[in-house]
């Protein structure tokens, strides 16, 4: 039975990497007097490393391995990341990031049918709160039975830890859930946790090599703006609805989870 939709955040709910995180990283670097700058191509490459702190450390190691290994390196990364998060939260609060097409529609349909909603993300909790508040309203965090974010788990995506963490708190087996992800690390994490995955590729993940997924689409689709891609391995276009998902999961249409 389909009881829960577990949503990734960055790239899935919104194009946060392009509209928010990359801008915030570069602003934080400038604020801290660093001559680091991540252009789009560089950022797309660095997104293979999940977690902003991990991403910055990896970059620093390339530039100055000795400094990146110094005793104060972790503290300097933490301070830089706190600055970046403050900039990102402000950008989101200013309305600079919008939900992707179909996200609100599918969230509303799931809520109307009593499905459980959850979030499993690598990004920091403050970023999730800011995005939900700015795009879905001040009460929207309460729509999610569980929000698993950032450092609550020791290993970030593509490790399955965050999805195990969420499923354990939902008290559901992976077979009762479905993950919605935009990228290879995210889809791999969800697959490794045993979840079926709906992939909605984002701006920076269009060429990612995905693991076997239920559907590999360019989005969720809206009336007049159909999503397109492969559904169960065959060309498909349309709007992702709960009925379509149940059909793909070979569940009866009347299977109303909740
Ligand atoms: C994407 C990530 C995050 C963001 C940056 O998370 O890997 O690290 O790029 O956010 P997901 P932080 O797709 O799992 O939502 O700087 O807070 O890590
Ligand atoms: Mg993502």
């Amino acid at each position: 039975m389909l009881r829960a939709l577990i949503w990734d955040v960055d790239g899935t709910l919104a194009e946060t990497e392009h509209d928010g995180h990359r801008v915030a990283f570069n602003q934080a670097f400038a604020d801290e007097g660093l001559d680091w700058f991540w252009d789009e191509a560089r950022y797309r490459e660095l997104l293979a490393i999940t977690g902003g702190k991990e991403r910055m450390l990896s970059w620093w190691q390339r530039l100055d391995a000795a400094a990146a290994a110094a005793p104060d390196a972790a503290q300097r990364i933490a301070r830089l990341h706190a600055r970046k998060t403050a900039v990102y939260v402000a950008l989101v609060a200013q309305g600079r990031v919008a939900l992707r097409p179909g996200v609100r529609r599918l969230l509303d349909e799931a809520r109307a049918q009593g499905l459980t909603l959850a979030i499993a993300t690598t990004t920091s909790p403050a970023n999730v709160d800011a995005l939900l508040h700015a795009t879905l309203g001040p009460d929207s965090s309460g729509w999610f039975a569980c929000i698993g974010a950032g450092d609550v788990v020791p290993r970030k995506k593509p490790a399955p830890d965050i999805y195990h963490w969420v499923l354990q708190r939902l008290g559901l087996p992976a077979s009762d859930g479905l993950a919605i992800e935009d990228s290879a690390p995210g889809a791999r994490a969800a697959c490794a946790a045993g979840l079926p995955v709906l992939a909605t590729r984002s701006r920076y993940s269009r060429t990612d090599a995905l693991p076997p997924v239920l559907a590999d689409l360019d989005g969720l689709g809206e009336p007049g703006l159909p999503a397109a891609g492969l559904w169960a391995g065959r060309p498909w276009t349309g709007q992702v609805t709960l009925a379509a998902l149940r059909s793909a999961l070979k569940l009866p249409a009347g299977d109303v989870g909740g």
Side-chain angles (χ1 to χ4, degrees), residues 8-12 157 181-183:
D8 167 50
V9 173
D10 293 313
T12 299
K157 301 173 183 177
E181 273 281 358
D182 73 301
S183 70

Side-chain angles (χ1 to χ4, degrees), residues 15-141:
E15 285 287 3
T16 52
E17 298 293 2
H18 177 266
D19 301 337
H21 290 302
R22 188 181 77 88
V23 176
F25 279 115
N26 287 327
Q27 182 61 56
F29 300 155
D31 292 349
E32 293 292 317
L34 293 167
D35 64 352
W36 302 357
F37 181 80
W38 291 344
D39 63 16
E40 296 239 33
R42 176 70 71 196
Y43 195 64
R44 180 179 289 106
E45 170 209 331
L46 291 173
L47 277 172
I49 302 150
T50 58
K53 295 191 289 295
E54 295 81 356
R55 193 170 301 140
M56 290 190 287
L57 180 60
S58 170
W59 177 246
W60 198 9
Q61 288 166 340
R62 286 197 209 182
L63 298 180
D64 185 345
D72 68 342
Q75 182 190 5
R76 293 177 67 185
I77 288 284
R79 191 181 69 230
L80 196 51
H81 194 246
R83 178 72 198 128
K84 174 262 173 181
T85 300
V87 173
Y88 175 84
V89 166
L91 287 174
V92 169
Q94 291 159 18
R96 300 273 289 272
V97 181
L99 292 180
R100 292 186 66 188
V103 168
R104 180 65 194 254
R105 174 182 58 73
L106 190 58
L107 283 170
D108 287 347
E109 186 185 8
R111 294 176 69 215
Q113 293 195 24
L115 264 71
T116 295
L117 295 175
I119 282 175
T121 176
T122 302
T123 199
S124 306
N127 298 342
V128 182
D129 294 343
L131 184 67
L132 295 180
H133 191 280
T135 59
L136 292 169
D139 302 329
S140 58
S141 293

Side-chain angles (χ1 to χ4, degrees), residues 150-164:
D151 295 329
V152 291
V153 290
R155 294 173 305 177
K156 292 189 168 92
K157 301 173 183 177
D161 300 34
I162 194 68
Y163 279 103
H164 286 313

